[in-house]
Amino acid sequence: MKAIITGVTGQDGSHLTDLLLEKGYEVVGVSRRTSTDNTERIKHVLDHPNFTLESGDIADSSSLVRILENHGHGLQVEFYNLAAQSHVAESFKQPGVTWDITGKGVLNALQSIVDLDLKHIRFYQASSSEMFGSSFDYKTYNVHTGEIEQYQDEDTKFLPQSPYAIAKCAAHYMVRLFREAYGLHASAGILFNHEGPRRGETFVTRKITKWIGEFIKWKNSQQGVFAQGQIGGRDHENYIYVEDPLNPEGFPKLRLGNLEASRDWGYAGDYTEGMWMMLQQSQPDDYVLCTGETHTIRQFLNAAFKHVGINNWENYVVVDPQFYRPAEVDYLRGKNTKAKEKLGWEPKHSFEDLVKKMVESDAQL
Ligand code: NAP
Ligand code: G4F
């Protein structure tokens, strides 16, 4: 069995590579040329005998054709398209590049497979819950809380709120078209937010846990002062100070944007297993992967700071409008009934497990 993975250097690409190597796959990772090393997350597999790193860019069809010609033949080949400009806020600043990579890149991959007559290849597309945007269905009345619960599933309409989400919608429809028009075994996983210690440092969960890790290290370096249990002695809008006139150094507070948005956060390793399960089905299809729970950024902050014994996170965080987005997705909460019933997939990690994993990794607890 062989798998070609675009986006192999990213969070999901690295987890999927680990999973498929464990299963005995030959893995061909596709990575674009960058002037600084981008292989940190896959450095542990670079010398694996079943791993090959190929240079390629999803926006450059000729590189995909070369890779497919070299690696696309053979009976069981899977192609996981995880490559994307995946940062939603950045997509407002670089909408054209986001479109070329996240949208048109998917057409490049699908069309190359068809043109080379490699239709036996099973294709996975990394679709996103961002495609739902501000759309959700009211379906469940919770008898315990008396609330009507809102969620998104495979039948919820798309109402994208960013250039990223629009590019993902176009790619999603392209996958459906190639499935129907050419009979490709092409599936799309509509994945809700999934995180972990390998998450990019500018996504909100990792930004928080990384800050906590750095703060703990700084705090430990100030041990003599902190032994008295004093911080925030000279409170400042942007810095945390210790109550020590001899120590004028402060630690910069954590700067975040909208704290009210809700996300359905799961653990990335669980979700890459779901991707693989989709391609093992006899028929291609689209599936939502999510936990079914939703939490605000405030709740994530609360849980993450509590984990290192800090109960008043508000004293450490500055809300900075530079991190607001021109349009926001306020609420994401998925329903994973189809994935549970058809794939037998379920998330193995809870919200609390995820927070613990991330904080402990960044704070080296
Ligand atoms: P990520 O960490 O940002 O990784 C994105 C990957 O795409 C990186 O390896 C990046 O390479 C690569 N890439 C970017 N532009 C490329 C190009 N032009 N050609 C080839 N490769 C390119 O994202 P992730 O969190 O692993 O997510 C994986 C996929 O799932 C993405 O498509 C994302 O949009 C989608 N998704 C993610 C989530 C989530 O919560 N994580 C949820 C739903 C969907 P460099 O190392 O060179 O930058
Ligand atoms: O962590 P985020 O940047 O993730 P977002 O926008 O939900 O997108 C992620 O999940 C999608 C799946 O739903 C993927 F398709 C996508 O590729 C990506 O992986 O932001 C989460 C929320 C937003 O509401 C944002 O406004 O956190 C809010 N937020 C508040 N302060 C912040 C910040 N987000 C970031 N990145 N940085 C902040 O300082």
Side-chain angles (χ1 to χ4, degrees):
M1 288 162 310
K2 193 188 271 187
I4 300 169
I5 304 178
T6 67
V8 71
T9 55
Q11 171 188 250
D12 291 5
S14 69
H15 280 290
L16 184 64
T17 300
D18 290 347
L19 177 79
L20 298 184
L21 288 175
E22 255 171 53
K23 289 185 183 295
Y25 275 68
E26 191 184 325
V27 175
V28 179
V30 180
S31 168
R32 60 183 169 165
R33 197 233 161 229
T34 46
S35 53
T36 48
D37 185 22
N38 63 347
T39 57
E40 177 61 26
R41 294 186 182 98
I42 50 165
K43 63 176 189 295
H44 58 289
V45 300
L46 289 175
D47 293 329
H48 193 292
N50 285 346
F51 183 78
T52 310
L53 194 60
E54 281 278 6
S55 159
D57 192 310
I58 192 86
D60 176 1
S61 289
S62 68
S63 68
L64 297 176
V65 166
R66 171 178 47 78
I67 290 163
L68 283 164
E69 274 177 337
N70 289 341
H71 300 283
H73 298 276
L75 279 181
Q76 284 176 291
V77 184
E78 296 169 4
F79 188 117
Y80 294 87
N81 180 45
L82 309 184
Q85 190 304 95
S86 76
H87 202 273
V88 175
E90 194 57 33
S91 78
F92 286 99
K93 294 177 186 155
Q94 299 193 50
V97 163
T98 303
W99 174 256
D100 289 346
I101 299 172
T102 309
K104 183 160 180 286
V106 184
L107 171 62
N108 293 342
L110 290 165
Q111 192 65 52
S112 302
I113 288 172
V114 169
D115 289 348
L116 293 169
D117 201 17
L118 295 171
K119 286 186 266 184
H120 62 284
I121 293 181
R122 293 189 173 193
F123 188 89
Y124 173 84
Q125 165 58 13
S127 288
S128 166
S129 53
E130 276 291 310
M131 300 187 310
F132 296 124
S134 52
S135 167
F136 50 77
D137 291 330
Y138 293 89
K139 279 189 184 159
T140 312
Y141 174 73
N142 186 325
V143 283
H144 303 294
T145 62
E147 283 174 19
I148 294 174
E149 295 184 342
Q150 310 161 0
Y151 64 85
Q152 293 106 355
D153 68 10
E154 293 82 0
D155 298 323
T156 305
K157 72 174 178 196
F158 299 144
L159 245 167
Q161 298 295 313
S162 64
Y164 167 82
I166 289 172
K168 282 287 182 192
C169 285
H172 187 80
Y173 287 127
M174 203 60 82
V175 169
R176 280 199 176 181
L177 177 68
F178 274 66
R179 186 157 74 206
E180 283 161 21
Y182 302 109
L184 275 196
H185 190 297
S187 296
I190 306 173
L191 270 50
F192 283 64
N193 299 50
H194 45 280
E195 323 284 315
R198 299 185 193 179
R199 184 60 144 149
E201 292 172 4
T202 58
F203 296 95
V204 75
T205 56
R206 184 75 201 289
K207 187 170 166 185
I208 293 168
T209 61
K210 186 165 181 279
W211 185 93
I212 290 175
E214 284 169 2
F215 176 67
I216 295 292
K217 276 172 222 146
W218 175 77
K219 190 168 174 268
N220 289 342
S221 72
Q222 311 281 312
Q223 233 164 10
V225 178
F226 279 104
Q228 296 148 27
Q230 299 294 325
I231 54 170
R234 279 183 293 132
D235 197 21
H236 184 276
E237 190 192 343
N238 294 318
Y239 286 91
I240 298 158
Y241 286 103
V242 292
E243 254 189 30
D244 178 2
L246 297 176
N247 182 357
E249 293 299 313
F251 191 82
K253 289 188 180 179
L254 170 59
R255 307 188 82 81
L256 295 174
N258 176 17
L259 306 185
E260 315 307 332
S262 280
R263 289 291 181 273
D264 179 332
W265 280 300
Y267 173 59
D270 294 344
Y271 289 57
T272 47
E273 191 169 19
M275 296 175 188
W276 173 77
M277 287 171 155
M278 287 178 213
L279 294 204
Q280 308 320 303
Q281 303 305 303
S282 56
Q283 296 302 319
D285 206 344
D286 301 334
Y287 297 90
V288 158
L289 299 186
C290 61
T291 68
E293 278 186 30
T294 193
H295 298 270
T296 60
I297 318 297
R298 278 181 188 283
Q299 288 169 324
F300 191 96
L301 281 162
N302 205 32
F305 276 81
K306 268 213 172 112
H307 198 68
V308 292
I310 300 174
N311 293 318
N312 54 342
W313 61 263
E314 289 89 345
N315 294 352
Y316 301 79
V317 173
V318 178
V319 172
D320 184 339
Q322 73 161 300
F323 296 109
Y324 291 162
R325 296 170 183 188
E328 178 61 283
V329 171
D330 294 320
Y331 180 92
L332 290 175
R333 180 182 186 185
K335 198 153 195 84
N336 57 24
T337 312
K338 181 174 173 184
K340 261 187 193 158
E341 288 176 357
K342 295 206 164 164
L343 304 176
W345 179 88
E346 264 190 286
K348 294 178 185 139
H349 292 80
S350 66
F351 175 72
E352 291 72 25
D353 295 338
L354 174 69
V355 173
K356 184 168 181 284
K357 234 181 191 340
M358 293 183 74
V359 174
E360 292 190 352
S361 166
D362 276 325
Q364 292 167 355
L365 295 178

CSV table of all heavy atoms in Angstrom, one decimal, residues 54-99:
chain,number,residue,atom,x,y,z
A,54,GLU,N,9.2,14.2,-1.5
A,54,GLU,CA,9.2,14.7,-2.8
A,54,GLU,C,9.0,16.2,-2.8
A,54,GLU,O,8.1,16.7,-2.1
A,54,GLU,CB,8.2,14.0,-3.7
A,54,GLU,CG,8.5,12.6,-4.2
A,54,GLU,CD,9.4,12.6,-5.4
A,54,GLU,OE1,9.8,13.7,-5.8
A,54,GLU,OE2,9.6,11.5,-5.9
A,55,SER,N,9.7,16.9,-3.7
A,55,SER,CA,9.5,18.3,-3.8
A,55,SER,C,8.3,18.6,-4.7
A,55,SER,O,8.3,18.1,-5.8
A,55,SER,CB,10.8,18.9,-4.3
A,55,SER,OG,10.5,20.2,-4.9
A,56,GLY,N,7.3,19.3,-4.3
A,56,GLY,CA,6.2,19.6,-5.1
A,56,GLY,C,5.3,20.7,-4.5
A,56,GLY,O,5.3,20.9,-3.3
A,57,ASP,N,4.5,21.3,-5.4
A,57,ASP,CA,3.7,22.4,-4.9
A,57,ASP,C,2.3,22.2,-5.5
A,57,ASP,O,2.1,22.0,-6.7
A,57,ASP,CB,4.2,23.8,-5.3
A,57,ASP,CG,3.6,24.9,-4.7
A,57,ASP,OD1,2.3,25.0,-4.7
A,57,ASP,OD2,4.3,25.8,-4.1
A,58,ILE,N,1.3,22.2,-4.6
A,58,ILE,CA,-0.1,21.9,-5.1
A,58,ILE,C,-0.6,23.0,-6.1
A,58,ILE,O,-1.5,22.7,-6.9
A,58,ILE,CB,-1.1,21.8,-3.9
A,58,ILE,CG1,-2.4,21.2,-4.3
A,58,ILE,CG2,-1.2,23.2,-3.2
A,58,ILE,CD1,-2.5,19.8,-4.2
A,59,ALA,N,0.0,24.1,-6.1
A,59,ALA,CA,-0.3,25.2,-7.0
A,59,ALA,C,0.4,25.0,-8.4
A,59,ALA,O,0.1,25.7,-9.3
A,59,ALA,CB,0.0,26.6,-6.5
A,60,ASP,N,1.3,24.0,-8.5
A,60,ASP,CA,2.0,23.8,-9.7
A,60,ASP,C,1.7,22.4,-10.2
A,60,ASP,O,2.2,21.4,-9.8
A,60,ASP,CB,3.5,23.9,-9.3
A,60,ASP,CG,4.4,23.6,-10.5
A,60,ASP,OD1,3.9,23.3,-11.6
A,60,ASP,OD2,5.7,23.6,-10.3
A,61,SER,N,0.8,22.4,-11.2
A,61,SER,CA,0.3,21.1,-11.8
A,61,SER,C,1.4,20.2,-12.3
A,61,SER,O,1.4,19.0,-12.1
A,61,SER,CB,-0.6,21.3,-12.9
A,61,SER,OG,-1.8,21.8,-12.5
A,62,SER,N,2.5,20.8,-12.9
A,62,SER,CA,3.5,20.0,-13.4
A,62,SER,C,4.3,19.2,-12.4
A,62,SER,O,4.7,18.1,-12.6
A,62,SER,CB,4.5,20.8,-14.3
A,62,SER,OG,5.2,21.7,-13.4
A,63,SER,N,4.4,19.8,-11.2
A,63,SER,CA,5.0,19.0,-10.1
A,63,SER,C,4.1,17.9,-9.6
A,63,SER,O,4.6,16.8,-9.3
A,63,SER,CB,5.4,19.9,-8.9
A,63,SER,OG,4.3,20.4,-8.3
A,64,LEU,N,2.8,18.1,-9.7
A,64,LEU,CA,1.9,17.0,-9.3
A,64,LEU,C,1.9,15.9,-10.3
A,64,LEU,O,1.9,14.7,-10.0
A,64,LEU,CB,0.5,17.5,-9.1
A,64,LEU,CG,0.3,18.6,-8.0
A,64,LEU,CD1,-1.1,19.1,-8.0
A,64,LEU,CD2,0.6,18.0,-6.7
A,65,VAL,N,2.0,16.3,-11.6
A,65,VAL,CA,2.0,15.2,-12.7
A,65,VAL,C,3.3,14.4,-12.5
A,65,VAL,O,3.3,13.2,-12.6
A,65,VAL,CB,2.0,15.9,-14.0
A,65,VAL,CG1,2.4,15.0,-15.2
A,65,VAL,CG2,0.6,16.5,-14.3
A,66,ARG,N,4.4,15.1,-12.2
A,66,ARG,CA,5.7,14.3,-12.1
A,66,ARG,C,5.6,13.3,-10.9
A,66,ARG,O,5.9,12.1,-11.0
A,66,ARG,CB,6.9,15.3,-11.8
A,66,ARG,CG,8.2,14.6,-11.4
A,66,ARG,CD,9.3,15.7,-11.2
A,66,ARG,NE,9.0,16.8,-10.4
A,66,ARG,CZ,8.9,16.9,-9.1
A,66,ARG,NH1,9.1,15.8,-8.4
A,66,ARG,NH2,8.6,18.0,-8.5
A,67,ILE,N,5.0,13.8,-9.8
A,67,ILE,CA,4.9,12.9,-8.6
A,67,ILE,C,3.9,11.8,-8.9
A,67,ILE,O,4.2,10.6,-8.5
A,67,ILE,CB,4.5,13.8,-7.4
A,67,ILE,CG1,5.7,14.7,-7.0
A,67,ILE,CG2,4.1,12.9,-6.2
A,67,ILE,CD1,5.3,15.8,-6.1
A,68,LEU,N,2.8,12.1,-9.5
A,68,LEU,CA,1.9,11.0,-9.8
A,68,LEU,C,2.4,10.0,-10.8
A,68,LEU,O,2.2,8.8,-10.7
A,68,LEU,CB,0.6,11.6,-10.4
A,68,LEU,CG,-0.3,12.3,-9.3
A,68,LEU,CD1,-1.4,13.2,-9.9
A,68,LEU,CD2,-1.0,11.2,-8.4
A,69,GLU,N,3.2,10.5,-11.8
A,69,GLU,CA,3.8,9.5,-12.8
A,69,GLU,C,4.8,8.6,-12.1
A,69,GLU,O,4.8,7.4,-12.3
A,69,GLU,CB,4.5,10.3,-13.9
A,69,GLU,CG,3.5,10.7,-15.0
A,69,GLU,CD,4.1,11.5,-16.1
A,69,GLU,OE1,5.2,12.1,-15.8
A,69,GLU,OE2,3.6,11.5,-17.2
A,70,ASN,N,5.5,9.2,-11.1
A,70,ASN,CA,6.5,8.4,-10.4
A,70,ASN,C,5.9,7.5,-9.3
A,70,ASN,O,6.5,6.4,-9.1
A,70,ASN,CB,7.6,9.3,-9.7
A,70,ASN,CG,8.5,10.0,-10.7
A,70,ASN,OD1,8.6,9.5,-11.9
A,70,ASN,ND2,9.1,11.0,-10.3
A,71,HIS,N,4.8,7.9,-8.7
A,71,HIS,CA,4.3,7.1,-7.5
A,71,HIS,C,2.9,6.7,-7.6
A,71,HIS,O,2.4,6.0,-6.7
A,71,HIS,CB,4.5,8.0,-6.3
A,71,HIS,CG,5.9,8.4,-6.0
A,71,HIS,ND1,6.8,7.5,-5.5
A,71,HIS,CD2,6.6,9.5,-6.2
A,71,HIS,CE1,8.0,8.1,-5.3
A,71,HIS,NE2,7.9,9.3,-5.8
A,72,GLY,N,2.2,7.1,-8.7
A,72,GLY,CA,0.7,6.8,-8.7
A,72,GLY,C,0.3,5.5,-9.3
A,72,GLY,O,-0.9,5.1,-9.2
A,73,HIS,N,1.3,4.8,-9.8
A,73,HIS,CA,0.9,3.5,-10.4
A,73,HIS,C,0.9,2.4,-9.3
A,73,HIS,O,1.4,2.6,-8.2
A,73,HIS,CB,1.9,3.1,-11.6
A,73,HIS,CG,1.8,4.1,-12.7
A,73,HIS,ND1,0.9,4.1,-13.7
A,73,HIS,CD2,2.5,5.3,-12.9
A,73,HIS,CE1,1.0,5.1,-14.5
A,73,HIS,NE2,2.0,5.9,-14.0
A,74,GLY,N,0.4,1.2,-9.6
A,74,GLY,CA,0.3,0.2,-8.6
A,74,GLY,C,-1.1,0.1,-8.2
A,74,GLY,O,-1.9,1.0,-8.4
A,75,LEU,N,-1.4,-1.0,-7.5
A,75,LEU,CA,-2.8,-1.4,-7.2
A,75,LEU,C,-3.4,-0.5,-6.2
A,75,LEU,O,-4.5,0.1,-6.4
A,75,LEU,CB,-2.9,-2.8,-6.8
A,75,LEU,CG,-2.9,-3.8,-7.9
A,75,LEU,CD1,-3.0,-5.2,-7.4
A,75,LEU,CD2,-4.0,-3.5,-8.9
A,76,GLN,N,-2.8,-0.4,-5.0
A,76,GLN,CA,-3.4,0.4,-3.9
A,76,GLN,C,-2.7,1.7,-3.6
A,76,GLN,O,-1.7,1.6,-2.9
A,76,GLN,CB,-3.5,-0.5,-2.7
A,76,GLN,CG,-4.5,-1.6,-2.8
A,76,GLN,CD,-4.5,-2.5,-1.6
A,76,GLN,OE1,-3.5,-3.3,-1.4
A,76,GLN,NE2,-5.5,-2.4,-0.8
A,77,VAL,N,-3.2,2.7,-4.2
A,77,VAL,CA,-2.5,4.0,-3.9
A,77,VAL,C,-3.6,5.0,-3.4
A,77,VAL,O,-4.7,5.1,-3.9
A,77,VAL,CB,-1.9,4.6,-5.2
A,77,VAL,CG1,-1.2,5.9,-4.9
A,77,VAL,CG2,-1.0,3.6,-5.9
A,78,GLU,N,-3.2,5.7,-2.3
A,78,GLU,CA,-4.1,6.6,-1.7
A,78,GLU,C,-3.5,8.0,-1.8
A,78,GLU,O,-2.2,8.1,-1.6
A,78,GLU,CB,-4.4,6.3,-0.2
A,78,GLU,CG,-5.1,5.0,-0.1
A,78,GLU,CD,-5.2,4.4,1.3
A,78,GLU,OE1,-4.7,5.1,2.3
A,78,GLU,OE2,-5.7,3.3,1.5
A,79,PHE,N,-4.3,9.0,-2.0
A,79,PHE,CA,-3.7,10.4,-2.1
A,79,PHE,C,-4.5,11.2,-1.1
A,79,PHE,O,-5.7,11.4,-1.2
A,79,PHE,CB,-4.0,10.9,-3.6
A,79,PHE,CG,-3.3,12.2,-3.9
A,79,PHE,CD1,-2.3,12.3,-4.9
A,79,PHE,CD2,-3.7,13.4,-3.2
A,79,PHE,CE1,-1.7,13.5,-5.2
A,79,PHE,CE2,-3.0,14.6,-3.6
A,79,PHE,CZ,-2.1,14.7,-4.5
A,80,TYR,N,-3.7,11.7,-0.1
A,80,TYR,CA,-4.4,12.6,0.9
A,80,TYR,C,-4.0,14.0,0.6
A,80,TYR,O,-2.8,14.4,0.7
A,80,TYR,CB,-3.9,12.2,2.3
A,80,TYR,CG,-4.3,10.8,2.7
A,80,TYR,CD1,-3.5,9.7,2.4
A,80,TYR,CD2,-5.4,10.6,3.5
A,80,TYR,CE1,-3.9,8.4,2.7
A,80,TYR,CE2,-5.9,9.3,3.8
A,80,TYR,CZ,-5.1,8.2,3.5
A,80,TYR,OH,-5.5,7.0,3.9
A,81,ASN,N,-4.9,14.9,0.2
A,81,ASN,CA,-4.6,16.3,0.0
A,81,ASN,C,-4.8,17.1,1.2
A,81,ASN,O,-6.0,17.5,1.5
A,81,ASN,CB,-5.4,16.8,-1.2
A,81,ASN,CG,-5.0,18.3,-1.4
A,81,ASN,OD1,-3.8,18.6,-1.4
A,81,ASN,ND2,-6.0,19.2,-1.5
A,82,LEU,N,-3.8,17.3,1.9
A,82,LEU,CA,-3.8,18.1,3.2
A,82,LEU,C,-3.2,19.5,3.0
A,82,LEU,O,-3.2,20.3,3.9
A,82,LEU,CB,-3.1,17.4,4.3
A,82,LEU,CG,-3.5,15.9,4.6
A,82,LEU,CD1,-2.8,15.4,5.8
A,82,LEU,CD2,-5.0,15.8,4.7
A,83,ALA,N,-2.6,19.7,1.8
A,83,ALA,CA,-2.0,21.0,1.6
A,83,ALA,C,-3.0,22.2,1.5
A,83,ALA,O,-4.0,22.0,0.9
A,83,ALA,CB,-1.2,21.0,0.2
A,84,ALA,N,-2.7,23.2,2.2
A,84,ALA,CA,-3.5,24.4,2.2
A,84,ALA,C,-2.8,25.6,2.8
A,84,ALA,O,-1.9,25.4,3.6
A,84,ALA,CB,-4.8,24.2,3.0
A,85,GLN,N,-3.2,26.8,2.4
A,85,GLN,CA,-3.0,28.0,3.2
A,85,GLN,C,-4.1,27.9,4.2
A,85,GLN,O,-5.3,28.2,3.9
A,85,GLN,CB,-3.0,29.2,2.3
A,85,GLN,CG,-2.5,30.5,3.0
A,85,GLN,CD,-3.3,30.8,4.3
A,85,GLN,OE1,-2.9,30.5,5.4
A,85,GLN,NE2,-4.5,31.5,4.2
A,86,SER,N,-3.9,27.4,5.4
A,86,SER,CA,-4.9,27.0,6.3
A,86,SER,C,-5.3,28.0,7.4
A,86,SER,O,-6.2,27.7,8.2
A,86,SER,CB,-4.5,25.7,6.9
A,86,SER,OG,-3.6,25.9,8.0
A,87,HIS,N,-4.7,29.2,7.3
A,87,HIS,CA,-5.0,30.1,8.4
A,87,HIS,C,-6.1,31.1,7.9
A,87,HIS,O,-5.9,31.8,7.0
A,87,HIS,CB,-3.7,30.9,8.7
A,87,HIS,CG,-3.7,31.5,10.1
A,87,HIS,ND1,-4.3,32.8,10.3
A,87,HIS,CD2,-3.3,31.0,11.3
A,87,HIS,CE1,-4.2,33.0,11.6
A,87,HIS,NE2,-3.6,32.0,12.2
A,88,VAL,N,-7.2,31.1,8.7
A,88,VAL,CA,-8.4,31.8,8.2
A,88,VAL,C,-8.1,33.3,8.2
A,88,VAL,O,-8.4,34.0,7.2
A,88,VAL,CB,-9.6,31.5,9.1
A,88,VAL,CG1,-10.8,32.4,8.8
A,88,VAL,CG2,-9.9,30.0,9.0
A,89,ALA,N,-7.5,33.9,9.3
A,89,ALA,CA,-7.2,35.3,9.3
A,89,ALA,C,-6.3,35.7,8.2
A,89,ALA,O,-6.5,36.8,7.6
A,89,ALA,CB,-6.6,35.7,10.7
A,90,GLU,N,-5.3,34.9,7.9
A,90,GLU,CA,-4.3,35.2,6.9
A,90,GLU,C,-5.0,35.2,5.5
A,90,GLU,O,-4.6,36.0,4.6
A,90,GLU,CB,-3.2,34.1,6.9
A,90,GLU,CG,-2.0,34.5,6.1
A,90,GLU,CD,-1.3,35.8,6.5
A,90,GLU,OE1,-1.4,36.1,7.7
A,90,GLU,OE2,-0.7,36.4,5.6
A,91,SER,N,-6.1,34.4,5.3
A,91,SER,CA,-6.8,34.4,4.0
A,91,SER,C,-7.4,35.7,3.7
A,91,SER,O,-7.6,36.0,2.5
A,91,SER,CB,-7.8,33.2,4.0
A,91,SER,OG,-9.0,33.6,4.7
A,92,PHE,N,-7.7,36.6,4.7
A,92,PHE,CA,-8.2,37.9,4.4
A,92,PHE,C,-7.1,38.8,3.9
A,92,PHE,O,-7.3,39.8,3.1
A,92,PHE,CB,-8.8,38.6,5.6
A,92,PHE,CG,-10.1,38.0,6.0
A,92,PHE,CD1,-10.2,37.0,7.0
A,92,PHE,CD2,-11.3,38.4,5.3
A,92,PHE,CE1,-11.5,36.5,7.3
A,92,PHE,CE2,-12.6,37.9,5.7
A,92,PHE,CZ,-12.6,36.9,6.7
A,93,LYS,N,-5.8,38.5,4.3
A,93,LYS,CA,-4.7,39.3,3.9
A,93,LYS,C,-4.1,38.8,2.6
A,93,LYS,O,-3.5,39.6,1.8
A,93,LYS,CB,-3.6,39.3,5.0
A,93,LYS,CG,-4.1,40.0,6.2
A,93,LYS,CD,-3.0,39.9,7.3
A,93,LYS,CE,-3.6,40.4,8.6
A,93,LYS,NZ,-3.0,39.9,9.8
A,94,GLN,N,-4.2,37.5,2.3
A,94,GLN,CA,-3.7,36.9,1.1
A,94,GLN,C,-4.7,36.1,0.4
A,94,GLN,O,-4.6,34.8,0.3
A,94,GLN,CB,-2.4,36.0,1.4
A,94,GLN,CG,-1.3,36.8,2.0
A,94,GLN,CD,0.0,36.0,2.0
A,94,GLN,OE1,0.4,35.4,1.0
A,94,GLN,NE2,0.6,35.9,3.1
A,95,PRO,N,-5.8,36.7,0.0
A,95,PRO,CA,-6.9,35.9,-0.6
A,95,PRO,C,-6.5,35.2,-1.9
A,95,PRO,O,-7.0,34.1,-2.1
A,95,PRO,CB,-8.0,36.9,-0.8
A,95,PRO,CG,-7.4,38.3,-0.8
A,95,PRO,CD,-6.1,38.1,0.0
A,96,GLY,N,-5.7,35.8,-2.7
A,96,GLY,CA,-5.3,35.3,-4.0
A,96,GLY,C,-4.5,34.0,-3.8
A,96,GLY,O,-4.8,32.9,-4.4
A,97,VAL,N,-3.5,34.1,-3.0
A,97,VAL,CA,-2.7,32.9,-2.7
A,97,VAL,C,-3.5,31.8,-2.1
A,97,VAL,O,-3.4,30.6,-2.4
A,97,VAL,CB,-1.5,33.3,-1.8
A,97,VAL,CG1,-0.8,32.1,-1.1
A,97,VAL,CG2,-0.5,34.1,-2.5
A,98,THR,N,-4.4,32.2,-1.2
A,98,THR,CA,-5.3,31.2,-0.5
A,98,THR,C,-6.1,30.5,-1.6
A,98,THR,O,-6.3,29.3,-1.5
A,98,THR,CB,-6.2,31.9,0.5
A,98,THR,OG1,-5.3,32.6,1.4
A,98,THR,CG2,-7.0,30.9,1.3
A,99,TRP,N,-6.6,31.3,-2.5
A,99,TRP,CA,-7.4,30.6,-3.6
A,99,TRP,C,-6.6,29.7,-4.4
A,99,TRP,O,-7.0,28.5,-4.7
A,99,TRP,CB,-8.0,31.7,-4.5
A,99,TRP,CG,-8.7,31.2,-5.7
A,99,TRP,CD1,-8.3,31.1,-6.9
A,99,TRP,CD2,-10.0,30.5,-5.6
A,99,TRP,NE1,-9.2,30.4,-7.7
A,99,TRP,CE2,-10.2,30.0,-6.9
A,99,TRP,CE3,-10.9,30.2,-4.6
A,99,TRP,CZ2,-11.4,29.3,-7.3
A,99,TRP,CZ3,-12.0,29.5,-5.0
A,99,TRP,CH2,-12.3,29.0,-6.3
